[in-house]
Amino acid sequence: MPKTNRKVPGINASSMADVSFLLLCFFLMVSSMDTDSGLARRLPPPPQTEEQTSVDVQRRNLLVVLVNSQNETLVQNQQATYLYANEAELRGDGGQVSLKDVVKEFVLNTQNNPVLPELTEEDFGAPIGTVPVTAQHVISIQNDATTSYKAYIAVQNEVVRAYNELREEGSRKYFNTSYEDLTEDQQKQINDLFPQRISEAEPKNYGGGK
Amino acid sequence: MPELNTASMPDLVFAILFFFIITTTLRSETLMVRMKLPTASEVQKLEKKSLVTYINIGAPMDIRLGTGTQMQLNDRFAQVSEIQDYIAQEKASMNEADQPLMTVSIKADENTRMQYITDVKEALRKAYALKISYSSRKGVN
């Protein structure tokens, strides 16, 4: 048998690059890279009956955050009242305690202060065990009709930041690692330990223009 | 002069191409309102795009329509009273199992008055779309 030395003809693939570049350009143009992100909230379900169903909350368990039409923020609990004139002061730049720290102190109530939310012992499973928590605390964010959305989000953000820091601290304390590195179950435990109890009441039209 | 070997060029380009195909989602609607989202530092990413419904609030792009706050649902302007129908419609187009997971992303301009947002929130409550997200850009505010 003679040795045949057949040459396999190669496919000319030089235009492949052009074609794939074309596709690449198409996808570059039609796609949007921005993933949507935001502050997640859960709204209360609509009132079932005609008369407004309101929940009675003990005064000590309540932290009221008011944002008025001038975008100033008033924070009030039974212990103290704080007034923040702008966003920088919310973060503690004006020499006052920042809103974040007020919320953290309010949620933790480490000293078992009688004017801060009451502590109840609850079991969160190993390794947290039974610890006293302020299960009944409520942070009520109220706004005026002419409050700007920006100021409202700034306040929301500070409150969420307080919770995130609490969760981070809790995670470091009980699991010796950052909250991000926890498993889903562990994150849930920490979330149960520091649940976000933020109430968004309907706005009242006080002290502001229409 | 030796020629540059470009044989691996298609492979490279394909790799980039696949990256883009996987990471991107198609632009679903054209924005008809101008908005500058507020900034926040504690934002969370919205996980599944198919579960998210958008409500855009801001001044119209077309300046002939004035500078008042308008709301865009899908590809048209709408009134707050139309939200319930819109949510019901979006819910119906979803998988039954996914319906409770539906998230409404409120994309509103930072200078919107809260009255408008509150009205929208009330309508969402009535429509039982209780999971919401205040869309905001990540950054230091």
Side-chain angles (χ1 to χ4, degrees):
Chain A
M1 209 156 162
K3 200 179 166 201
T4 49
N5 199 356
R6 265 201 301 169
K7 238 182 157 184
V8 181
I11 302 171
N12 183 5
S14 60
S15 58
M16 183 83 111
D18 301 349
V19 172
S20 39
F21 260 123
L22 215 72
L23 278 170
L24 181 61
C25 290
F26 169 74
F27 272 96
L28 269 176
M29 273 154 73
V30 299
S31 60
S32 53
M33 282 291 269
D34 57 319
T35 44
D36 197 30
S37 55
L39 299 169
R41 275 280 153 283
R42 182 163 266 284
L43 295 173
Q48 297 295 334
T49 46
E50 280 303 304
E51 68 262 29
Q52 186 74 35
T53 48
S54 61
V55 187
D56 280 330
V57 179
Q58 269 190 55
R59 190 65 194 87
R60 65 182 283 199
N61 288 334
L62 190 65
L63 179 74
V64 180
V65 181
L66 291 166
V67 193
N68 75 2
S69 53
Q70 259 69 53
N71 300 333
E72 295 160 340
T73 313
L74 180 84
V75 181
Q76 195 170 34
N77 61 11
Q78 232 179 13
Q79 189 187 34
T81 302
Y82 306 89
L83 182 70
Y84 303 99
N86 54 41
E87 281 175 37
E89 287 190 14
L90 275 181
R91 294 196 301 272
D93 289 351
Q96 294 191 72
V97 191
S98 68
L99 174 58
K100 181 191 80 189
D101 290 331
V102 173
V103 172
K104 278 169 84 173
E105 189 195 356
F106 177 77
V107 174
L108 280 176
N109 189 14
T110 41
Q111 309 294 319
N112 200 3
N113 196 327
V115 290
L116 288 175
E118 61 182 318
L119 292 165
T120 44
E121 300 264 331
E122 268 183 57
D123 186 17
F124 293 96
I128 301 177
T130 307
V131 284
V133 284
T134 56
Q136 298 300 315
H137 79 266
V138 173
I139 296 171
S140 170
I141 302 179
Q142 292 167 27
N143 60 274
D144 192 80
T146 49
T147 306
S148 90
Y149 185 52
K150 189 183 179 184
Y152 182 72
I153 289 297
V155 171
Q156 288 262 6
N157 187 47
E158 288 306 309
V159 175
V160 175
R161 193 208 298 265
Y163 276 109
N164 284 352
E165 282 191 14
L166 284 174
R167 287 176 179 179
E168 180 67 35
E169 283 163 20
S171 158
R172 291 238 176 258
K173 186 171 164 193
Y174 294 109
F175 297 103
N176 272 322
T177 158
S178 139
Y179 180 74
E180 307 233 313
D181 299 332
L182 295 180
T183 64
E184 222 165 276
D185 288 342
Q186 289 170 331
Q187 283 195 350
K188 200 178 168 299
Q189 270 184 305
I190 293 287
N191 291 358
D192 288 344
L193 188 64
F194 299 114
Q196 286 189 5
R197 295 176 59 87
I198 304 171
S199 145
E200 308 192 22
E202 279 109 89
K204 301 179 179 126
N205 201 349
Y206 37 158
K210 251 253 150 254
Chain B
M1 194 174 147
E3 257 185 48
L4 195 64
N5 185 7
T6 53
S8 57
M9 176 105 103
D11 302 351
L12 242 164
V13 174
F14 264 118
I16 307 175
L17 181 61
F18 285 136
F19 169 75
F20 272 98
I21 293 178
I22 291 166
T23 55
T24 55
T25 44
L26 294 183
R27 240 177 235 146
S28 47
E29 53 188 12
T30 42
L31 267 182
M32 288 155 67
V33 290
R34 239 175 310 148
M35 64 174 90
K36 187 168 173 263
L37 294 176
T39 47
S41 56
E42 310 296 315
V43 292
Q44 292 169 341
K45 282 214 174 101
L46 292 178
E47 295 112 12
K48 278 195 177 170
K49 285 241 170 175
S50 57
L51 300 177
V52 183
T53 306
Y54 296 97
I55 293 179
N56 302 306
I57 298 166
M61 288 268 192
D62 192 345
I63 43 170
R64 283 172 298 177
L65 295 174
T67 52
T69 304
Q70 295 267 8
M71 182 172 62
Q72 182 195 353
L73 303 174
N74 273 342
D75 274 329
R76 59 190 187 84
F77 290 117
Q79 298 301 313
V80 176
S81 53
E82 293 171 60
I83 285 184
Q84 265 175 282
D85 289 340
Y86 172 69
I87 295 293
Q89 194 188 326
E90 292 285 316
K91 248 189 188 167
S93 67
M94 265 181 203
N95 218 325
E96 190 115 352
D98 289 343
Q99 284 182 5
L101 300 171
M102 176 180 176
T103 309
V104 179
S105 175
I106 300 178
K107 305 184 94 168
D109 186 84
E110 60 180 16
N111 293 319
T112 313
R113 288 183 172 192
M114 276 310 291
Q115 178 69 62
Y116 205 91
I117 309 283
T118 311
D119 290 347
V120 170
K121 265 161 56 182
E122 273 306 294
L124 288 175
R125 269 179 77 183
K126 289 208 186 96
Y128 272 94
L130 302 179
K131 273 183 80 168
I132 60 165
S133 161
Y134 297 110
S135 186
S136 33
R137 284 174 298 138
K138 187 158 177 75
V140 209
N141 42 346

